[in-house]
Amino acid sequence: TSAATVEPSPDFAWSAFTAPDKKWSVRFPGTAAPITESLPLPIGTTSVTLKMYAMQDPSTSALYAVAFVDLPTGTLPGDPNTYLGLMDSTMASGMGGSLLSSSDSTVGTYAARDLSVLKGTQTYYIRLWFVGSRMYMLMTIVEGDATVYTQHFMATFALT
């Protein structure tokens, strides 16, 4: 199921997860705890840590993830939302993939950017936005034409 197609609701098979810092919540497929990972991420002359919480749907093998980066003050001068349009090609090339689509979106009252990127046989559906100096990223990854519930997953995300 592509991100533009209306999906059935898989809500019955998903469980709520609240971030340890209590700043957001989401529903992941299954009942196990999501895996967590921290990755160093160079931004200019600064290195920040990308924190990610992810879960693989056991029935479809699609991956669902919430990631965020807390940027040091001054890393992005001015309004961070002005950088959203630049994320399209930067994300696709940084992932070694090609940009399939991009569009404006929102998360609550925050401006966001939706991207789809093809990397090999995998399609990445990504939503990016800023809350202050924190950059959030919701992502689903699907192999080929396997079922993925991108719209549902992204709709379950809430800032708390």
Side-chain angles (χ1 to χ4, degrees), residues 40-123:
L41 183 68
I43 297 180
T45 58
T46 304
S47 182
V48 295
T49 301
L50 174 80
K51 295 179 183 161
M52 182 168 53
Y53 297 83
M55 175 70 71
Q56 190 165 23
D57 183 337
S59 64
T60 67
S61 296
L63 184 77
Y64 298 83
V66 177
F68 62 89
V69 173
D70 289 314
L71 300 168
T73 304
T75 302
L76 299 176
D79 180 0
N81 292 324
T82 60
Y83 296 91
L84 286 173
L86 303 173
M87 298 290 193
D88 297 5
S89 59
T90 303
M91 287 292 294
S93 63
M95 295 167 60
S98 56
L99 185 67
L100 296 175
S101 67
S102 63
S103 60
D104 291 334
S105 185
T106 58
V107 175
T109 59
Y110 297 95
R113 195 80 180 147
D114 285 353
L115 314 173
S116 59
V117 175
L118 180 65
K119 180 180 177 183
T121 58
Q122 293 182 323
T123 303

Side-chain angles (χ1 to χ4, degrees), residues 15-27:
S15 57
F17 175 79
T18 300
D21 67 4
K22 309 283 190 241
K23 292 186 177 182
W24 56 269
S25 64
V26 73
R27 293 176 67 87

